[in-house]
Structure formats: structure tokens, C-alpha cells
Amino acid sequence: MTSRKAMVIDDEPLMAEFIADVLDEVGFSCEVACDARQALQTLFKLRPELLVLDLVMPGMDGIEVIRHIADAGLRDVQLVLVSGHDVAVLRSAEQVARERSLRVVGVLQKPLRLSQLVEKFENVELASAQPADQISDEQLAAQLPEVIARQQIEVHYQPQVALDSGEVVGVEALARWQHPTYGFVPPARFIPFAEQHGLVKALTDTVLRRTFDDLNQWRREGYRFSASVNISGAYVDDLGLPERLEKQLWEVGLQPSDVRMELTETAVMEDLANSMDILTRLRLRGFALSIDDFGTGYSTFIQLHRIPFTEIKIDRSFVHLINEENDARAIVESTIMLADRLGMVSVAEGIEHSTQFSAMRTLGCERAQGYHIARPMAARDISPWIQQWSSA
């Protein structure tokens, strides 16, 4: 019996049953509801891994459902949004969900095609067999500080390759927590908690130290590539940070150019004066700076002018639609041209299919990462993966 649970909320019974039949074919156990308001209680009790949600329904529309899901704290449910409305409305609905910290894995315009649904549902990433959403905020508060202090947070790495040559040019360091009771706890669950409760500095220090050690080991194995580490706004408020990081690198035989600091626009905006001070001095010492999720902020172009970034990471929401929407393709193409004019490296994140890889290469993007290339992996698996990738 499958442990994968899904739910379909669509006010058209025939459409709901059609979607449910496809879900059943790819291994989901599915509940169907045609009344959104009545469906919420079932949804909260079922806690499915996947929810296929129609946006236009009488009584309660899909945007209202998204709000209730977020208010209930169902952060791990994966959403596929469907509607007969135009692409702009679907895109706005996706942004609403993301702003509420929900995970959207698909946006589909009606009429739906069987092949389209099968491809989307087969690529849904499975949640842990022991859902980490069962861990309460109280348990996080009690356990996370000790887990970080004991350096029990693991670091996995997702490779980044050059689109023209396929050469491995870097890895992105990603914090991972494998709970002994609840299994894999998603970063979207514990990182925001760490930021809210003053733990993010200790967490980031743990990730940086582990990354420096792993980079050093890869150097000894003959591999030379850089590593990027995600930095939150709470971390970029220590005026002594540039000197401290430089000292740590020299102690393990690395240089600042071996490391990229990835920041979102919101991280920079939290304390602009201090952020600009610290980031500029990081660049003066040779650290690379990457602006993550480019195109999703409110004043990104201003930040490109203010902060000496060296890399633009094109947000996955645009990359996923590169072959489906002219608007998304235009945004990606413009971003690549902007990066080139500013002397910055362009990186496509979230590459999941060979068609996206090819499209980004055709448009002149320099680097890429995503599941089509490799999923995040433990440090010990990087060298064998590089050997396999290089011989493919």
C-alpha cells in the first residue's frame, strides 16, 4: 500500500475524478472534494503530500484555500495550482502561495492534458516517511539549539556546472537535519525558526566550518571548484565578519575566492547600512557575492547598483517556465543580458529537465544547477559523482 497521499479540490466533479485517476496511476492515494469550504477539515486531518487546487470555485476560491493552509501551518504540502484563467492570474496565485511560505510544484492551465499531469505528478518529491511537520515548535525550541551546538546539522552539496562545457564549477552548501524520530526535517521548517529565535548565526557558522573543511578535502583529492553558502540578513550584521571569515579560511589553507556568499534581496534590506559595509569589505577581500532568487524582490535593480555582486541566480520559477511562457523566457533572457553587461556570472537554478538545460544554454546562461544535473548529496558522494558526470 502506498504511503503517498494526495487531495484534489475542484468544483467540477468530472475534472476532479480525472485528476484523481491520474494520481492513482502514478502511485498516490487520493481524496476528492468539490466544495472547498467543506474540504478544509478533511485537508487538515489528511495532511497530504500533494494538493491539486482549482483557483476558481464558488463559495471559497483557491486563493482563500491557500490562506487557510498557510494559517494552519501546513508548510510541507506541495501545491499544484490549476485554472482556466490566463497565465498572468496563475502566476500571481503562485506568488501568493510562495509569499505565504508554501511550496508550489506546478502551475497548470486548463484544459489539462493527460501527459502534462503524468509528468507533473511523477516528478513530485516524496516527503519523509515520518512527516517532519509532526515536530512542534516547542520541540524545535527544545532540540534545535543543542543540535546546532553539537554540530549535528549535516551539510549536503548540490553541484553547479558550466552550461557550455559541462565542467563542474561549484557546489551550493545546504543545511540538512535528520531527526532521530521524525526523519528528514525540511530546511523550510527549521531555518525560519532559527532566524526567528536567534539561532541563525550559530547555524550558519556550522555550515561554513563544514563547507571549509569539505572544500579542503576536495582540494586534496585534486578538485578545484568554489562553494556557495546561503547567508541570512541576521548574519550580515557583524562588522567583524569579513576579517573573521578570512582568518578561518587561511587557517584551513583556502582563499576567499573559494567561497561565494548567497544573499536574497530581503537579507540585504534588513539593515542596509551595515549590510553594504560588510558586503563591500567581503568583496575587497576577494569573496564572491551572489544575489539569489533574482527577479522576485521589489527593488532588485537598486541592490545590483548598490552592492558589488558578482553573480545573479535566476529564480527557479522563471527557469521552470522557460519553454512554456513567453513572459518567463523574456525575463530570463533579459536577466542573462543584464548579467553580461554588468560583468556578472548568470546562474540558472532549479533545472529539472534536459529541455530547460538546453534552453538556458541557447540563451547564453553560463552556469546551472538542479535535479537534472544532480540532487544535493553528502560531501563523500561529490567525488564519485564528478567522476561519473565527467565520463557520461
Side-chain angles (χ1 to χ4, degrees):
M1 176 177 286
T2 180
S3 60
R4 298 198 292 177
K5 295 180 292 185
M7 187 170 185
V8 179
I9 303 179
D10 193 310
D11 66 315
E12 300 179 48
L14 291 178
M15 177 60 69
E17 290 297 337
F18 168 61
I19 296 172
D21 287 344
V22 178
L23 284 164
D24 182 67
E25 286 294 324
V26 297
F28 283 90
S29 173
C30 188
E31 292 281 341
V32 172
C34 296
D35 185 296
R37 196 176 301 278
Q38 294 178 4
L40 283 177
Q41 291 305 314
T42 302
L43 175 68
F44 297 154
K45 182 178 180 180
L46 181 67
R47 304 182 79 88
E49 295 178 70
L50 179 66
L51 172 64
V52 183
L53 177 64
D54 187 18
L55 294 180
V56 182
M57 295 178 290
M60 178 182 289
D61 59 53
I63 301 299
E64 292 178 279
V65 174
I66 288 171
R67 186 197 320 134
H68 285 291
I69 292 172
D71 290 344
L74 299 185
R75 307 295 180 191
D76 294 329
V77 64
Q78 301 178 73
L79 294 175
V80 174
L81 306 179
V82 299
S83 177
H85 260 287
D86 59 71
V87 171
V89 172
L90 278 163
R91 195 161 52 230
S92 295
E94 178 182 14
Q95 190 60 35
V96 168
R98 294 187 187 279
E99 289 293 329
R100 294 186 180 276
S101 300
L102 298 179
R103 184 178 178 191
V104 180
V105 295
V107 178
L108 303 175
Q109 190 175 25
K110 292 181 177 180
L112 302 175
R113 302 189 306 273
L114 176 61
S115 59
Q116 184 184 34
L117 290 174
V118 170
E119 180 183 10
K120 185 63 63 179
F121 296 154
E122 284 183 338
N123 287 321
V124 171
E125 184 180 356
L126 291 180
S128 170
Q130 301 183 44
D133 57 7
Q134 293 180 9
I135 188 169
S136 66
D137 285 349
E138 290 75 16
Q139 289 171 308
L140 279 173
Q143 299 177 30
L144 189 55
E146 183 176 0
V147 168
I148 294 173
R150 293 178 177 269
Q151 298 188 24
Q152 294 172 346
I153 294 291
E154 300 176 4
V155 180
H156 284 197
Y157 300 92
Q158 186 170 42
Q160 187 181 103
V161 301
L163 276 160
D164 57 353
S165 66
E167 178 188 0
V168 179
V169 293
V171 294
E172 179 179 356
L174 301 163
R176 293 291 184 261
W177 181 13
Q178 191 71 25
H179 195 281
T181 302
Y182 297 104
F184 175 69
V185 182
R189 183 77 171 90
F190 70 85
I191 290 179
F193 187 91
E195 290 177 334
Q196 295 163 13
H197 293 80
L199 300 171
V200 73
K201 289 186 178 181
L203 174 62
T204 306
D205 281 339
T206 295
V207 173
L208 283 166
R209 282 194 297 269
R210 193 73 54 81
T211 301
F212 295 167
D213 289 342
D214 290 334
L215 267 176
N216 206 16
Q217 176 60 34
W218 293 322
R219 291 289 190 277
R220 289 194 290 269
E221 295 172 6
Y223 299 111
R224 298 196 65 83
F225 48 77
S226 59
S228 61
V229 179
N230 294 281
I231 305 296
S232 78
Y235 197 75
V236 192
D237 68 352
D238 175 9
L239 294 173
L241 180 65
E243 293 82 3
R244 179 162 59 85
L245 291 181
E246 185 179 46
K247 182 175 182 293
Q248 290 175 0
L249 282 166
W250 285 117
E251 287 175 350
V252 296
L254 298 173
Q255 300 179 10
S257 58
D258 295 323
V259 180
R260 295 189 306 276
M261 301 297 183
E262 283 193 21
L263 303 99
T264 61
E265 179 193 345
T266 52
V268 176
M269 290 297 292
E270 289 182 16
D271 186 340
L272 185 58
N274 269 1
S275 295
M276 290 180 64
D277 179 316
I278 294 164
L279 295 175
T280 303
R281 285 190 293 120
L282 282 170
R283 282 289 293 120
L284 288 172
R285 282 165 172 76
F287 289 89
L289 298 180
S290 175
I291 183 165
D292 201 7
D293 302 333
F294 184 80
T296 61
Y298 298 104
S299 54
T300 304
F301 288 104
I302 295 176
Q303 303 309 342
L304 286 179
H305 180 68
R306 288 172 170 170
I307 308 295
F309 287 106
T310 59
E311 177 181 279
I312 293 179
K313 297 196 77 174
I314 305 169
D315 187 71
R316 67 185 64 242
S317 62
F318 301 120
V319 175
H320 288 174
L321 298 173
I322 186 69
N323 293 310
E324 300 174 22
E325 293 186 14
N326 290 333
D327 288 354
R329 191 178 186 91
I331 291 171
V332 169
E333 189 170 9
S334 298
T335 303
I336 294 169
M337 292 174 61
L338 176 65
D340 184 60
R341 292 289 296 273
L342 295 176
M344 300 169 65
V345 175
S346 55
V347 181
E349 57 180 348
I351 297 283
E352 294 185 355
H353 303 288
S354 60
T355 53
Q356 295 167 353
F357 189 96
S358 298
M360 298 305 299
R361 181 170 53 195
T362 299
L363 290 177
C365 188
E366 295 181 62
R367 299 179 179 180
Q369 66 183 83
Y371 285 0
H372 173 67
I373 299 162
R375 291 174 177 265
M377 64 189 77
R380 63 179 177 276
D381 297 325
I382 287 290
S383 295
W385 177 84
I386 293 176
Q387 295 172 17
Q388 182 180 12
W389 173 264
S390 299
S391 61

